[in-house]
Coordinates of all heavy atoms in Angstrom, one line a residue:
Chain A
G582 N 9.2 25.4 -13.4 CA 10.4 25.0 -14.2 C 11.4 24.2 -13.4 O 11.3 24.2 -12.1
L583 N 12.3 23.7 -14.1 CA 13.4 22.9 -13.4 C 14.6 23.8 -13.2 O 15.1 24.5 -14.2 CB 13.7 21.8 -14.4 CG 14.5 20.6 -13.9 CD1 13.8 19.9 -12.8 CD2 14.8 19.7 -15.1
E585 N 17.5 22.5 -11.2 CA 18.7 21.7 -11.1 C 18.2 20.2 -11.2 O 17.2 19.9 -10.6 CB 19.4 21.9 -9.8 CG 20.7 21.1 -9.7 CD 21.2 21.2 -8.3 OE1 20.8 22.0 -7.5 OE2 22.2 20.4 -8.0
Y586 N 18.9 19.5 -12.0 CA 18.6 18.1 -12.0 C 19.9 17.2 -12.1 O 20.7 17.3 -13.0 CB 17.8 17.8 -13.3 CG 17.6 16.3 -13.5 CD1 17.3 15.4 -12.4 CD2 17.7 15.7 -14.8 CE1 17.1 14.0 -12.6 CE2 17.5 14.4 -15.0 CZ 17.2 13.6 -13.9 OH 17.1 12.2 -14.1
P588 N 21.0 13.0 -10.5 CA 20.4 11.8 -10.0 C 20.2 11.8 -8.5 O 19.4 11.0 -7.9 CB 21.3 10.6 -10.4 CG 22.1 11.2 -11.6 CD 22.2 12.7 -11.4
T608 N 14.9 10.1 -11.5 CA 14.6 10.4 -12.9 C 13.3 11.2 -13.0 O 12.4 11.1 -12.1 CB 14.4 9.1 -13.7 OG1 13.3 8.4 -13.2 CG2 15.7 8.2 -13.7
I609 N 13.2 12.0 -14.1 CA 12.0 12.7 -14.3 C 11.1 11.9 -15.2 O 11.3 11.7 -16.4 CB 12.3 14.1 -15.0 CG1 13.2 14.9 -14.0 CG2 11.0 14.8 -15.3 CD1 13.7 16.1 -14.6
G610 N 10.1 11.3 -14.6 CA 9.2 10.4 -15.3 C 8.4 11.1 -16.4 O 8.2 10.5 -17.5
R611 N 8.0 12.3 -16.1 CA 7.3 13.1 -17.1 C 7.3 14.5 -16.7 O 7.3 14.9 -15.5 CB 5.8 12.5 -17.1 CG 4.9 13.2 -18.1 CD 3.5 12.6 -18.0 NE 2.9 13.0 -16.8 CZ 2.1 12.2 -16.1 NH1 1.9 11.0 -16.4 NH2 1.5 12.6 -14.9
I612 N 7.5 15.3 -17.7 CA 7.4 16.8 -17.4 C 6.6 17.4 -18.5 O 6.8 17.3 -19.7 CB 8.8 17.4 -17.3 CG1 8.7 18.9 -17.0 CG2 9.7 17.2 -18.5 CD1 9.9 19.6 -16.4
L613 N 5.5 18.1 -18.0 CA 4.6 18.9 -18.9 C 4.7 20.4 -18.4 O 5.4 20.7 -17.4 CB 3.2 18.3 -18.9 CG 3.1 16.9 -19.3 CD1 1.7 16.4 -19.0 CD2 3.4 16.7 -20.7
R614 N 3.9 21.2 -19.0 CA 3.9 22.6 -18.7 C 3.6 22.9 -17.2 O 4.3 23.7 -16.6 CB 2.9 23.3 -19.5 CG 3.2 24.8 -19.6 CD 2.2 25.4 -20.6 NE 2.6 25.2 -22.0 CZ 3.3 26.0 -22.7 NH1 3.7 27.2 -22.2 NH2 3.5 25.7 -24.0
Chain B
E890 N 19.1 21.9 -17.7 CA 17.8 22.1 -17.1 C 17.0 23.1 -18.0 O 15.8 23.0 -18.1 CB 18.0 22.6 -15.7 CG 18.4 21.6 -14.7 CD 20.0 21.4 -14.7 OE1 20.6 22.2 -15.5 OE2 20.5 20.7 -13.9
V893 N 15.4 21.6 -20.8 CA 14.1 20.9 -20.4 C 13.0 22.0 -20.3 O 11.9 21.8 -20.9 CB 14.3 20.1 -19.1 CG1 12.9 19.6 -18.6 CG2 15.3 19.0 -19.2
N894 N 13.3 23.1 -19.7 CA 12.2 24.1 -19.5 C 11.8 24.7 -20.8 O 10.6 24.9 -21.1 CB 12.8 25.3 -18.6 CG 13.0 24.8 -17.2 OD1 12.4 23.8 -16.7 ND2 13.9 25.4 -16.5
V897 N 9.6 22.2 -22.7 CA 8.3 22.1 -22.2 C 7.5 23.3 -22.6 O 6.3 23.3 -23.0 CB 8.4 22.0 -20.6 CG1 7.0 22.3 -20.0 CG2 8.9 20.7 -20.2
R898 N 8.2 24.5 -22.6 CA 7.5 25.7 -23.1 C 7.1 25.6 -24.6 O 6.1 26.2 -25.0 CB 8.4 26.9 -22.9 CG 8.0 27.7 -21.6 CD 8.9 28.9 -21.4 NE 9.5 28.9 -20.1 CZ 10.8 29.0 -19.9 NH1 11.6 29.2 -20.9 NH2 11.3 28.8 -18.7
L903 N 8.4 15.7 -22.4 CA 9.5 14.8 -22.2 C 9.2 13.7 -21.2 O 8.6 14.0 -20.2 CB 10.8 15.6 -21.7 CG 11.2 16.7 -22.7 CD1 12.3 17.5 -22.0 CD2 11.8 16.1 -24.0
R904 N 9.7 12.5 -21.4 CA 9.4 11.4 -20.5 C 10.6 10.7 -20.2 O 11.6 10.6 -21.0 CB 8.3 10.5 -21.1 CG 6.9 11.1 -21.2 CD 5.9 10.2 -21.7 NE 6.2 9.9 -23.1 CZ 6.4 8.6 -23.6 NH1 6.4 7.6 -22.8 NH2 6.5 8.4 -24.9
R905 N 10.6 10.1 -19.0 CA 11.7 9.2 -18.5 C 13.1 9.9 -18.8 O 14.0 9.4 -19.5 CB 11.7 7.9 -19.2 CG 10.5 7.1 -18.8 CD 10.2 5.8 -19.5 NE 11.3 4.8 -19.4 CZ 11.4 3.7 -20.0 NH1 10.3 3.4 -20.9 NH2 12.3 2.9 -19.9
I906 N 13.2 11.1 -18.2 CA 14.5 11.9 -18.3 C 15.5 11.3 -17.4 O 15.2 11.2 -16.2 CB 14.2 13.4 -18.1 CG1 13.1 13.9 -19.0 CG2 15.5 14.2 -18.3 CD1 12.7 15.3 -18.7
E907 N 16.7 11.0 -17.9 CA 17.8 10.6 -17.0 C 19.0 11.4 -17.3 O 19.1 12.0 -18.4 CB 18.1 9.1 -17.4 CG 17.0 8.1 -16.9 CD 17.2 6.8 -17.5 OE1 18.3 6.4 -17.7 OE2 16.2 6.0 -17.7
R908 N 19.9 11.4 -16.3 CA 21.1 12.3 -16.5 C 22.3 11.4 -16.2 O 22.8 11.4 -15.1 CB 21.1 13.5 -15.6 CG 22.1 14.5 -16.1 CD 21.7 15.9 -15.6 NE 22.5 16.9 -16.2 CZ 22.4 18.2 -16.0 NH1 21.5 18.6 -15.0 NH2 23.1 19.1 -16.6

Side-chain angles (χ1 to χ4, degrees):
Chain A
L583 194 62
E585 180 188 353
Y586 170 45
T608 60
I609 299 173
R611 182 178 69 218
I612 181 164
L613 301 172
R614 197 175 285 266
Chain B
E890 290 84 358
V893 173
N894 293 334
V897 169
R898 257 182 240 127
L903 298 171
R904 291 182 292 123
R905 291 170 65 184
I906 304 172
E907 295 169 25
R908 195 156 193 184

